[in-house]
Amino acid sequence: MDDLTTVASGLDNPRGLVADRRGDVYVALSGRGTDAATPGMTAEEAAALDLPCFTGPEGLTCLGDTGAIGLLDTHRRHRHARGTVRFRTVVDGLPSVAPPGGGNALGVTDVSVDSRGRLFATIGLGGDPSLRQAALGDDDLAAQLATLGRVDLRRGTVREVADLGDVEAETNPAGGTVDTNPYALVAGRRGHVVVDAGGNSLLTVGRDGSVELEHVFPDELVTVPPPAGGDGTVQAPAQAVPNAVVRGPGGAYYIGQLTGGPFGEGAATVWRWEPGAEPEVYADGFTHIIDLAFTPDGDLLVLQIARRSLLYAFTAGDWTGALFLVPRRHPDERHELFVDDAGEPLTDEDGGPLLFAPGGLAVHRDTVYLSNRSILAGGGEVLRFELDD
C-alpha cells in the first residue's frame, strides 16, 4: 500500500463508489437529512415545525434534500499533478433521511456504471416502505427512497427504474418485519444485481425495471459479544444484512453481509453467486462487511465498517475499520491492510484510527479509492492509495 492521500473531504456521509472506464470516480453521498432538524430536537418539536420525520433505529429521523452524487475527476488532463484531483457535486437535491445533526444518514447508498457507461444509483430507506407515504409527506422526494434509478448527468436528476420498496411491501420474502434498504448494486448482463440490506434479499432488476427475487439470506447463529452480555459461549440469531455486491473476474457475483444484532464478531461471509444457482461461501470469518472490490489481479478487497463488534462503536465510539485482501488462489487466507508491523491499526495525526467507519471501495487499475468517516455529516472523506506490486 503506497501513496496514501486524502482526495476529498468535508463530505456528508459518503458511501459507495464506482470508477468509470476513464478512471473518474463517482461517490454516493447519503446527505445529512434536513438542516431544520437540529441536534437534540424531539419528535414533538419536529412535529410542531411540520417536519417530515419518523422514529427509526437511530431515533428521530427526518427527511431532507441533502443527498447527492459527487465526482472525483481524475482524468489524465489533471494527472500531471496528482494532488490536484478535483471533486465536485454532479447531482444534488436527492432524498436523505437522518437523525437531527445529520450523522448516520441514509440516502444515495451506492452507484454503478453499466457497459454503456450509464450511471445508476440506489437510494436507501432503512424501514417500512409505507413510511414514505405515512410519515414523510408522500411527495416526490419521499417517493425516491428505496428505489433504483438512472442518473442523468446532463440534467442533474435521477429517474426511477424500479421501486424496490414496493417489492418488499408486496412480498416481504424474508418474513417478519417489513423493512427495506437497497444498499448496493452492480451492473450485470441484463440490468443490475441489487442487495436489500433491510429485506435480506438478493434481487435482479432488468433494464425494463422488472424485479426478480434471486435469494433470501436467512438468519444465522452468532456468538454474543461481551457488550451484549456474552461470555464467548452464548449464541443468538442475527439477520444476515447483505449490503455489498460486486461482479468478479469470471462473471460471478460476490455478496458481503454486515450481520445484525447482537453484532457478533467473525460472523460475516462473502458469498459467491452465479445466476440460476444458490449462493455458496467464498470466504468467511469477517466482521461487519460494508463493501467489496476486486483488484486487477483478481484478489478481493473486503472492507469492514468496524474491526470489532459494532456494539463497541455504539457504546464506546470505537469505529475503527478494517480492510483485508483475499488472494484469488487462496480465498481461505487474508492479509490486513492499514495495520503496522505489529498488526495494530494505523492511526491519524490526532492518534485516532486512520480507518474510521469506512463505507465504500472502488478500484481502477492499481489505484484504490475508499470512502472514510462515512457516518459523519460534513466530516466524510475519500482516501486514495496504490496497491503494492
Side-chain angles (χ1 to χ4, degrees):
M1 188 178 73
D2 298 314
D3 299 328
L4 177 65
T5 186
T6 301
V7 291
S9 59
L11 308 180
D12 290 328
N13 291 277
R15 303 292 164 77
L17 312 95
V18 67
D20 65 14
R21 293 178 179 175
R22 300 193 318 171
D24 291 339
V25 178
Y26 293 93
V27 184
L29 300 171
S30 275
R32 57 184 185 278
T34 173
D35 294 333
T38 55
M41 177 176 283
T42 65
E44 292 75 17
E45 291 169 335
L49 294 174
D50 200 26
L51 297 181
C53 303
F54 64 93
T55 300
E58 304 290 337
L60 182 66
T61 302
C62 300
L63 172 67
D65 63 355
T66 57
I69 297 172
L71 172 64
L72 280 168
D73 188 348
T74 64
H75 194 240
R76 67 184 61 186
R77 65 178 179 272
H78 303 296
R79 298 195 73 176
H80 62 281
R82 292 185 61 86
T84 62
V85 171
R86 299 186 305 173
F87 180 86
R88 57 191 172 95
T89 300
V90 291
V91 182
D92 58 12
L94 299 177
S96 170
V97 289
N104 290 295
L106 280 171
V108 185
T109 51
D110 201 11
V111 281
S112 174
V113 174
D114 71 3
S115 60
R116 302 179 186 178
R118 300 177 300 183
L119 184 65
F120 293 79
T122 45
I123 300 177
L125 174 59
D128 190 317
S130 66
L131 288 168
R132 298 178 295 183
Q133 294 81 30
L136 297 178
D138 194 21
D139 60 11
D140 290 343
L141 194 65
Q144 292 181 71
L145 294 165
T147 63
L148 182 154
R150 180 179 171 185
V151 181
D152 187 328
L153 292 172
R154 291 185 179 180
R155 298 182 178 180
T157 59
V158 177
R159 178 180 60 81
E160 180 182 307
V161 173
D163 188 328
L164 303 177
D166 277 355
V167 174
E168 171 67 12
E170 294 167 3
T171 64
N172 189 17
T177 302
V178 177
D179 186 0
T180 183
N181 189 21
Y183 202 85
L185 79 164
V186 66
R189 298 180 180 91
R190 298 179 179 86
H192 279 83
V193 175
V194 181
V195 285
D196 187 333
N200 292 300
S201 55
L202 174 67
L203 309 168
T204 51
V205 181
R207 294 192 181 106
D208 61 355
S210 59
V211 181
E212 295 289 336
L213 174 67
E214 301 293 348
H215 184 73
V216 174
F217 293 89
D219 292 358
E220 49 193 75
L221 289 176
V222 304
T223 301
V224 178
D231 61 2
T233 63
V234 178
Q235 291 192 310
Q239 294 190 25
V241 194
N243 63 348
V245 60
V246 66
R247 193 174 181 186
Y253 298 91
Y254 295 76
I255 298 100
Q257 61 179 102
L258 184 78
T259 65
F263 306 107
E265 297 180 1
T269 298
V270 177
W271 300 89
R272 183 181 184 276
W273 175 68
E274 294 191 43
E278 290 293 304
E280 58 185 24
V281 175
Y282 179 73
D284 59 10
F286 296 96
T287 299
H288 304 316
I289 295 171
I290 196 68
D291 206 2
L292 306 170
F294 277 96
T295 73
D297 294 332
D299 300 329
L300 179 64
L301 293 173
V302 180
L303 183 65
Q304 298 181 178
I305 192 171
R307 201 168 186 258
R308 300 195 297 167
S309 168
L310 275 170
L311 287 183
Y312 290 104
F314 301 152
T315 61
D318 183 4
W319 283 97
T320 304
L323 178 63
F324 293 90
L325 186 144
V326 178
R328 180 177 188 176
R329 298 186 183 277
H330 303 283
D332 56 335
E333 299 178 5
R334 68 203 59 183
H335 308 288
E336 187 172 5
L337 309 179
F338 287 89
V339 292
D340 60 22
D341 292 340
E344 294 298 315
L346 297 179
T347 57
D348 60 21
E349 58 186 14
D350 296 319
L354 187 55
L355 286 188
F356 179 95
L361 287 171
V363 178
H364 182 255
R365 298 177 181 168
D366 289 329
T367 303
V368 180
Y369 297 88
L370 184 153
S371 61
N372 197 35
R373 308 178 71 81
S374 70
I375 60 168
L376 302 181
E381 61 188 9
V382 177
L383 307 179
R384 182 185 66 192
F385 63 92
E386 304 296 319
L387 293 168
D388 293 332
D389 294 332

